[in-house]
Amino acid sequence: MSPQHFLEMATFTFNLVGLVVCIGGLTLAHRTRHRVPGYLLAGLGFLIAASPVLYPLIATPVP
């Protein structure tokens, strides 16, 4: 099975996990002491949620 087929099947899972990680990061960023790690965690959550969309853009060879 190619990575593209796996990502198409697991898109919903990636979106849910990315959403939870992003919300956790933004919740952590509310505290002044943990602002930077919270924003980094929120960015990581966004990348997890967007990975099924970003993979074809990165993996497709340019003609």
Side-chain angles (χ1 to χ4, degrees), residues 13-57:
T13 306
F14 276 102
N15 287 334
L16 283 179
V17 170
L19 180 69
V20 169
V21 171
C22 190
I23 289 174
L26 291 176
T27 302
L28 186 64
H30 276 275
R31 300 182 182 164
T32 307
R33 205 170 67 151
H34 302 292
R35 189 168 305 267
V36 174
Y39 285 140
L40 290 174
L41 195 60
L44 178 68
F46 174 77
L47 288 176
I48 292 170
S51 63
V53 176
L54 295 176
Y55 178 76
L57 295 175

Side-chain angles (χ1 to χ4, degrees), residues 1-11 14 50-61:
M1 180 178 346
S2 71
Q4 179 62 31
H5 289 132
F6 171 74
L7 285 175
E8 287 176 6
M9 291 188 308
T11 298
F14 276 102
S51 63
V53 176
L54 295 176
Y55 178 76
L57 295 175
I58 296 169
T60 306

